Amino acid sequence: MAKDSSTPYTNNIESEYILKGGIKMGYESLAADILQNVGGEQNVSNLYHCATRLRFTLKDNKKAKKQKIENLDGVITVVEAGGMFQVVIGNTVNDVYEAITKISDLGMSTEEDNTPKEKKNLLNSFIDMIAAVFAPTLGVLAGSGLIKGVLALFTSVGWLSVESGTYVVLNAAADAFFYFLPIFLAYTAAKKFKTDIFIAMVLAAALVYPTITAAYTDSTAINFLGLPVSLAKYSSTVIPAILAVYVLSYLERFIRKRLHESVRNLLTPFICLIIMVPLTLMVVGPIANSASQLIANGYLAVYNFSPILSGAVIGGFWQVLVIFGLHWGMVPVMTNNISFYGRDTLGPGCMTAVAAQAGAVLGVFLKAKDKKIKSLALSAFISALFGITEPAVYGITLKYKKPFYIACIVGAIFGGVAGAAGAGALAVATRSILSFPIYIGQGFVWLVASYFLAMIAACILTFLFGYKDEVAKEEQKMLNNEKELILEKPAQGKTIALSKVDDPTFSSGVLGEGFAVIPTRGEVYSPVDGMISSIFPSKHAVGIITAEGAEILIHIGIDTVNLGGKYFETFIEQDSQVRAGQLLVKFDLEKIKENGYDPTIMVLVTNSSTFEKIEFVDDNQSVTIDANFDEVLV
C-alpha cells in the first residue's frame, strides 16, 4: 500500500464529490492529492482549466506521478500533450480548480516565473497559449452562442421580430461577448503572458473604441503624428488583441524594470499606453488583421475544394484531437470564420463526432450485463449528450478500442453529410444537444439528421460488433486480482482472528473481513494511509478511506458506545489525512475493563469484496486474511 498519500493541506471546502464506495469528501482533498502528485505547488509554473481538464504547465514533468493521479477517485485519466500535463476531471473540474486555488497560490500570481523551463516545440507552445487564452472563456462563449442560436430560431419561425425591444435586449446579451471579444481575450492573454491585466484590457478596448470603429465604418482617414493609421474592424476578432498583448508583455517588463518604485505604478501604464495604442493601430493590428484574413481565406479555400472531405476529416479526427488537447488549435479558426463570414463550417463535423461517441457508449450500455460498466456507460452517454466526451472516451470507447474506431468512422461519414449540406454555426459553443439553435440556417435539417443518425449508427454497430461483455468481465476480473490491501497492526497486544471476537456482528464477517487485537495499551494507531471519513460521537469508532477506495472501520471495544465517549480521546479531525502509524485515539484501558466492557479492537474492511487480497502485517510477519488466518495468528 502507498505510504505517501497524506498531504499537509487542510480541508475547509464545503463542496463535495462522491467516491466509488459512496463516501463523500471535500474537493479540497482531491485537489491536495493532485497537487502533491504533480510535484507540489513549487513544480507548477501555470495552471488553468477548460471544460473537463486541469491543465498544468510543469517545471519538471518527471516529478509528476501520473499513475498515482490516474488512480485517484474523481480523476478520469491523465494526458500529456501539447506541452501540458492534463488531468481529466469531468464536469466538476471547476470545483477542483477552485479548491486548488484555495489551498495554494496557483491561479493568483501574475509575477514572471524565472525558473528554467524545458523547451517546447512550436506546436506545443502554440496549443499551450491558445488553450490558456480561450479556456477561461469557454462557459460564457457557449452561453452567449446558445442565446444567439435561440434568437435565430425564434426569428426564423416568426415568434420574435428583430425590431422588438425584447430582441434588442436579448441580442445585446448574446452579442456583447463576441463584439467585445478582444477585451476578454486581452484579460486571459495578459494572465498567460504575465503582464498587467488592466493595461492589456485598455489596449484592447482602444481597438473597439466607438470613434475608431466609426472612422473605419465611415472610411474616415486618421493620422497619428503625420503618419497614416490603417484602420480595420477589430470587434469579434481574435489574433489582433492576443498579438498586441504579447508585444505589451515585453514592453511592460522592460519599462517596469527601469523605473524607480516611487513612480513605477504611475508611469508604467502611462508609457505603455502611449506607445502601444498607436503601435497596435498602425502596425500590430494591421499585421494581425491580415493574418486573420489569410487564415480565413485559407480555410475557405479548403472548404470550397470539398465540403464533404472537410466535414469528414473533422468528424473523423475531432475526438483524436480532443484526446491530446490539440482541439484548442481549431478554436481561433472557428472564431475567425465567424468574424469574417458570419458562420463557421467546422462546427458541424464536431457535432457528428460527439454524437458518434455518445452512440458508441449507448451501445455498450445496452450490451453490457456488468452493473458497473452499465452505470459508467449510462453516465458517459448523458455527459456526451451535453458535449463532454472525456468520460465516454477514457472510460469506455478508448478502453475497449472497437467502439472508439466505430465512433470515429461514423463521425466522419455523417460529418461529410453535414459538410455537403453546407451546415454552419453562428457561434462557437460546446457540441451539446442543446446547441442545435446555433446551426439555424443552411443545412440545419441535415445537421440535425446527421447528429441523430450518427448516434444511432454508432450505437447499433457497437452493439453488434464493437463490444463483448465477456471481455469486459475478464478485464474486470484481472483488475480485481491486482487490487490488494495491506493493513498494519493498530495497537499493542495479541492479534486474533475476527471469528474469535465475542460478538456475532463482528465474528460472522457480515461487516467485512478483518482482524482484531486484544490491547495491552490504550492507544490506537491508523493501520493505513487515508482520510478520516467518520468519527463516531462516542469516539469509540473511526472510519478511514484509502486512496485505493478501501473503507476501513476501527471499532474499539464491544458495546463501548454505551460509554458515550467517556474514557476516550481523539487526536484526529473529520476529513483529515492520516498516515499508517499515526495516533488516532487514546482510551483508558483499565477503566473500560472496570466498567465491564470487552476492550477488543476490531479492524474491518467494510468493502472487502472489492479486494482480491487483504494482508495483515504484525511486525515483520505478513499474513493473508483468509481461512488460514486462524491457524497462523491464533
Side-chain angles (χ1 to χ4, degrees):
M1 177 180 150
K3 295 294 180 185
D4 60 348
S5 61
S6 63
T7 173
Y9 304 110
T10 57
N11 294 289
N12 53 17
I13 303 293
E14 294 181 358
S15 55
E16 57 192 21
Y17 71 96
I18 309 297
L19 292 171
K20 292 176 182 175
I23 292 181
K24 298 180 180 181
M25 63 186 295
Y27 282 113
E28 195 174 38
S29 297
L30 176 60
D33 285 339
I34 292 173
L35 191 55
Q36 180 187 21
N37 286 298
V38 297
E41 181 180 348
Q42 65 277 7
N43 192 41
V44 181
S45 60
N46 192 27
L47 168 66
Y48 54 92
H49 74 88
C50 57
T52 58
R53 311 179 187 202
L54 295 173
R55 294 172 174 265
F56 291 91
T57 302
L58 301 181
K59 299 172 184 176
D60 185 358
N61 279 41
K62 295 179 181 178
K63 292 182 179 180
K65 300 174 182 177
K66 181 179 178 180
Q67 190 62 49
K68 284 194 173 184
I69 297 174
E70 286 183 327
N71 290 336
L72 292 173
D73 288 294
V75 173
I76 297 174
T77 190
V78 173
V79 178
E80 292 185 79
M84 290 173 287
F85 190 87
Q86 306 170 29
V87 182
V88 184
I89 301 294
N91 292 332
T92 59
V93 65
N94 186 60
D95 298 300
V96 180
Y97 175 81
E98 288 184 0
I100 290 179
T101 62
K102 290 189 177 184
I103 63 174
S104 70
D105 291 327
L106 296 177
M108 305 297 180
S109 176
T110 58
E111 294 299 318
E112 183 178 6
D113 182 8
N114 295 316
T115 305
K117 299 178 181 64
E118 181 182 350
K119 287 187 177 181
K120 303 176 184 177
N121 61 45
L122 188 60
L123 176 61
N124 285 348
S125 298
F126 174 74
I127 296 298
D128 181 24
M129 182 272 291
I130 291 298
V133 171
F134 277 91
T137 70
L138 184 62
V140 69
L141 182 114
S144 298
L146 188 57
I147 298 175
K148 269 181 171 287
V150 170
L151 287 176
L153 174 64
F154 284 5
T155 54
S156 65
V157 297
W159 293 351
L160 196 63
S161 168
V162 294
E163 285 82 23
S164 69
T166 301
Y167 178 88
V168 171
V169 171
L170 292 179
N171 189 57
D175 204 43
F177 172 78
F178 296 100
Y179 185 88
F180 296 108
L181 183 60
I183 300 176
F184 298 116
L185 293 184
Y187 173 84
T188 55
K191 296 187 72 173
K192 171 59 182 175
F193 300 136
K194 301 188 186 303
T195 190
D196 189 284
I197 291 173
F198 293 101
I199 297 177
M201 292 177 70
V202 171
L203 173 60
L207 295 176
V208 294
Y209 189 70
T211 303
I212 299 296
T213 301
Y216 167 76
T217 304
D218 300 335
S219 300
T220 303
I222 294 180
N223 294 312
F224 178 76
L225 298 179
L227 298 174
V229 176
S230 179
L231 295 175
K233 178 188 176 184
Y234 292 110
S235 59
S236 303
T237 58
V238 173
I239 298 178
I242 296 175
L243 184 59
V245 174
Y246 178 73
V247 175
L248 170 67
S249 66
Y250 285 94
L251 177 64
E252 193 251 351
R253 283 193 288 270
F254 177 83
I255 294 173
R256 188 173 289 277
K257 289 178 180 178
R258 284 159 178 78
L259 292 177
H260 190 271
E261 61 182 11
S262 62
V263 295
R264 185 178 297 150
N265 290 337
L266 173 64
L267 293 185
T268 299
F270 171 76
I271 297 173
C272 284
L273 291 174
I274 279 185
I275 294 175
M276 281 305 304
V277 171
L279 182 65
T280 299
L281 289 172
M282 297 171 66
V283 181
V284 178
I287 291 175
N289 199 58
S290 297
S292 300
Q293 183 71 65
L294 187 64
I295 292 172
N297 291 341
Y299 170 72
L300 186 62
V302 173
Y303 178 77
N304 288 337
F305 172 76
S306 177
I308 297 175
L309 180 61
S310 174
V313 169
I314 293 299
F317 289 97
W318 177 255
Q319 208 58 59
V320 177
L321 296 177
V322 171
I323 289 173
F324 295 103
L326 302 178
H327 60 300
W328 284 105
M330 306 302 294
V331 174
V333 179
M334 296 175 180
T335 308
N336 207 51
N337 288 341
I338 293 170
S339 175
F340 278 91
Y341 305 120
R343 63 200 303 267
D344 167 58
T345 50
L346 276 173
C350 303
M351 285 288 284
T352 62
V354 170
Q357 291 293 332
V361 292
L362 180 59
V364 172
F365 168 76
L366 296 174
K367 185 74 172 287
K369 294 182 177 62
D370 185 282
K371 291 183 179 180
K372 290 184 179 179
I373 295 176
K374 287 183 77 71
S375 176
L376 177 60
L378 180 60
S379 174
F381 171 69
I382 294 172
S383 295
L385 286 179
F386 292 97
I388 306 300
T389 55
E390 276 86 350
V393 172
Y394 295 115
I396 300 290
T397 62
L398 198 58
K399 178 180 179 181
Y400 299 118
K401 296 182 176 63
K402 285 185 179 180
F404 183 77
Y405 300 149
I406 288 172
C408 287
I409 293 171
V410 171
I413 292 172
F414 288 98
V417 172
L426 302 173
V428 178
T430 54
R431 320 302 159 189
S432 165
I433 196 170
L434 300 177
S435 301
F436 283 131
I438 71 171
Y439 295 93
I440 292 289
Q442 181 181 349
F444 174 70
V445 174
W446 280 102
L447 171 70
V448 175
S450 296
Y451 179 91
F452 286 106
L453 287 173
M455 188 181 299
I456 294 169
C459 176
I460 294 174
L461 290 173
T462 300
F463 184 89
L464 295 177
F465 310 109
Y467 177 80
K468 291 184 179 181
D469 201 49
E470 292 76 14
V471 174
K473 285 184 177 180
E474 186 63 28
E475 289 183 0
Q476 187 63 41
K477 183 178 178 181
M478 292 173 62
L479 180 62
N480 287 338
N481 286 339
E482 296 174 356
K483 201 167 185 181
E484 299 180 357
L485 176 67
I486 299 176
L487 303 170
E488 295 186 4
K489 190 174 181 178
Q492 294 184 13
K494 180 183 178 182
T495 305
I496 63 173
L498 202 60
S499 60
K500 303 299 181 182
V501 172
D502 189 20
D503 187 315
T505 302
F506 297 110
S507 61
S508 65
V510 68
L511 295 180
E513 299 291 341
F515 62 93
V517 178
I518 301 175
T520 57
R521 188 172 178 177
E523 294 178 350
V524 177
Y525 300 86
S526 178
V528 292
D529 294 346
M531 183 205 72
I532 301 298
S533 58
S534 61
I535 304 173
F536 284 63
S538 54
K539 304 177 184 178
H540 77 295
V542 175
I544 302 175
I545 188 163
T546 72
E548 297 85 358
E551 299 166 19
I552 312 297
L553 174 64
I554 304 170
H555 195 285
I556 306 169
I558 298 174
D559 294 330
T560 47
V561 64
N562 298 328
L563 291 172
K566 191 176 182 181
Y567 309 130
F568 291 89
E569 181 182 5
T570 57
F571 292 84
I572 34 79
E573 296 181 356
Q574 179 80 25
D575 295 335
S576 63
Q577 297 286 332
V578 294
R579 296 182 69 90
Q582 181 176 332
L583 179 63
L584 303 178
V585 181
K586 281 187 177 182
F587 61 95
D588 193 324
L589 179 59
E590 297 306 319
K591 290 289 186 182
I592 288 175
K593 289 180 179 179
E594 289 176 7
N595 281 269
Y597 291 97
D598 182 340
T600 301
I601 301 168
M602 281 67 69
V603 180
L604 308 169
V605 183
T606 58
N607 62 339
S608 54
S609 61
T610 63
F611 291 86
E612 179 67 17
K613 186 177 181 182
I614 301 175
E615 289 189 352
F616 161 74
V617 177
D618 187 357
D619 297 326
N620 294 323
Q621 186 179 24
S622 180
V623 182
T624 300
I625 298 177
D626 55 18
N628 296 321
F629 189 85
D630 289 10
E631 300 175 13
V632 177
L633 292 178
V634 178

